Amino acid sequence: MVNYKELGLVNTREMFAKAIKGGYAIPAFNFNNMEQLQAIIMAAAETKSPVILQVSKGARNYANQTLLRYMAEGAVAYAKELGWEKPEIVLHLDHGDSFELCKSCIDMGFSSVMIDGSHLPYDENVALTKKVVEYAHQFDVTVEGELGVLAGVEDEVVADHHTYTRPEEVVDFTTKTGCDSLAISIGTSHGAYKFTPAQCTRNAEGRLVPPPLAFDVLEGVEKELPGFPIVLHGSSSVPQEEVDTINKFGGNLPDAIGIPEEELRKAAKSAVCKINIDSDSRLAMTAAIRQVMAEKPAEFDPRKYLGPARDNMKKLYIHKIVNVLGSDGKAV
Ligand code: G3H
Ligand code: 13P
Ligand code: ZN
């Protein structure tokens, strides 16, 4: 059993309170491997942005939970080595699907966990979230709950349409569970295909333009829960230049589409104080690797393609922090 404080990590409580007051959002970047982690830490250290390192159940299985614990501890030391005096780094379980998984992560040094009971009947979601909160709070670990279902693949469950969060449920849910933040559904979704072409219009260049997010639902939630930390999942923008590079060098991602950055900028200024981004990093990594593989077919040193992949992800993370979420300079 190790407490996150021994690893130099922080929970989300103070970070979120400051973000809501300051009108910006904290980036929550998923990672599975060393290059992603290096890129996240370099970007956060250079911009002095608080950051949430997010680990899904799949990432935990892929990377090994013991290694992850040391990687997070290493990330704090690395951030300091890069000149970031007081790194504000959270290690967060993304889409925890059981009490046992959340407990195991808390016992292994995570400073924050998400318990995603959004696919359960309301009362079961409340009971499960409450159980996780009761355990987590003993160790000052913060907990994210979820109400409403995102379209796409979530928690190994595929939903073919959104079920928007019902603002009339949020006070009851947060009061009964004691959760520290709430993920809501307002039209974002996971992955690189957030909308079908049929749901979109096309602009002059023939590019897909997605339907707008349901900001009225977000406003309804904010009205019910003034000042409460709100989380947006499925917030990758699917940068067209990365998709184009992938497709140019042998990939096949037709009609991939994400959330326009203007909408995320608007959300970041509201009570949304955590924005989850995974797919964009996967695209940045894949685009750089494909390009090296295609242009230098004789190359077989992994550093020669993983290095450019890391550079490209770092550039993406800095862009998100500075130009979309506005969290730069908030953790000096
Ligand atoms: O919300 C899901 C995250 O993008 C993690 O995805 O389960 O494939 O690691 P994953
Ligand atoms: P994206 O697939 O849009 O990056 O969403 C990631 C996410 O919500 C992780 O929980
Ligand atoms: Zn998610």
Side-chain angles (χ1 to χ4, degrees):
M1 167 109 196
V2 59
N3 186 274
Y4 68 89
K5 291 173 189 167
E6 294 164 45
L7 308 184
L9 299 163
V10 298
N11 69 20
T12 58
R13 196 166 293 124
E14 204 182 317
M15 202 180 263
F16 285 173
K18 283 206 252 174
I20 294 178
K21 258 196 178 160
Y24 60 93
I26 312 290
F29 296 132
N30 289 68
F31 81 103
N32 301 267
N33 58 54
M34 184 184 77
E35 282 76 11
Q36 277 179 315
L37 182 60
Q38 288 175 314
I40 295 169
I41 297 302
M42 284 191 277
E46 267 180 39
T47 58
K48 301 284 185 294
S49 167
V51 73
I52 298 174
L53 302 172
Q54 233 169 219
V55 175
S56 69
K57 182 176 167 182
R60 187 170 171 270
N61 290 339
Y62 176 82
N64 177 277
Q65 62 161 345
T66 306
L67 255 182
L68 279 171
R69 166 223 186 286
Y70 287 100
M71 283 172 87
E73 190 172 9
V76 176
Y78 179 44
K80 288 184 182 164
E81 193 183 303
L82 291 174
W84 192 8
E85 252 173 70
K86 284 191 196 146
E88 289 184 27
I89 301 175
V90 172
L91 181 64
H92 174 80
L93 170 67
D94 191 24
H95 295 286
D97 61 356
S98 67
F99 171 77
E100 290 70 26
L101 175 59
C102 292
K103 179 180 182 303
S104 167
C105 287
I106 292 164
D107 294 350
M108 274 305 242
F110 281 58
S111 58
S112 175
V113 294
M114 174 189 193
I115 177 70
D116 182 357
S118 60
H119 302 281
L120 298 171
Y122 181 81
D123 288 341
E124 287 177 39
N125 186 4
V126 169
L128 178 60
T129 306
K130 184 170 188 272
K131 186 172 173 189
V132 171
V133 169
E134 278 167 2
Y135 185 75
H137 281 184
Q138 292 177 67
F139 308 98
D140 209 15
V141 168
T142 40
V143 179
E144 175 183 324
E146 180 167 340
L147 270 179
V149 180
L150 274 66
V153 182
E154 190 173 28
D155 205 11
E156 291 167 12
V157 176
V158 184
D160 58 8
H161 64 281
H162 312 284
T163 306
Y164 291 144
T165 304
R166 291 154 49 86
E168 57 273 31
E169 286 180 348
V170 298
V171 171
D172 186 68
F173 185 82
T174 53
T175 310
K176 281 187 178 153
T177 62
C179 66
D180 301 281
S181 60
L182 183 67
I184 63 166
S185 169
I186 60 165
T188 61
S189 84
H190 292 107
Y193 296 91
K194 300 194 186 298
F195 306 95
T196 62
Q199 292 172 305
C200 302
T201 49
R202 292 210 183 249
N203 67 12
E205 292 100 61
R207 299 276 197 208
L208 295 174
V209 179
L213 296 179
F215 277 98
D216 55 325
V217 174
L218 172 59
E219 280 158 24
V221 170
E222 285 182 294
K223 219 183 211 172
E224 295 291 326
L225 284 178
F228 194 83
I230 302 300
V231 177
L232 274 196
H233 282 248
S235 296
S236 277
S237 293
V238 187
Q240 204 52 60
E241 62 277 15
E242 306 297 355
V243 173
D244 289 346
T245 303
I246 290 171
N247 289 339
K248 179 174 169 194
F249 294 109
N252 183 21
L253 298 177
D255 288 337
I257 185 155
I259 309 296
E261 288 186 342
E262 311 84 76
E263 297 207 292
L264 297 169
R265 254 177 234 123
K266 181 174 166 187
K269 293 195 171 86
S270 72
V272 170
C273 60
K274 172 175 180 271
I275 292 193
N276 286 9
I277 295 168
D278 186 359
S279 299
D280 282 355
S281 157
R282 297 178 182 195
L283 292 167
M285 185 171 207
T286 302
I289 291 174
R290 276 200 176 276
Q291 183 161 358
V292 176
M293 294 283 190
E295 289 178 346
K296 299 180 184 163
E299 198 51 78
F300 67 100
D301 177 345
R303 292 168 298 187
K304 296 287 168 31
Y305 50 86
L306 293 177
R310 187 173 64 192
D311 292 344
N312 206 31
M313 288 188 286
K314 179 184 167 192
K315 196 173 97 194
L316 171 96
Y317 295 134
I318 290 179
H319 167 70
K320 298 285 178 186
I321 288 170
V322 175
N323 300 320
V324 185
L325 309 193
S327 59
D328 50 311
K330 305 299 192 298
V332 278

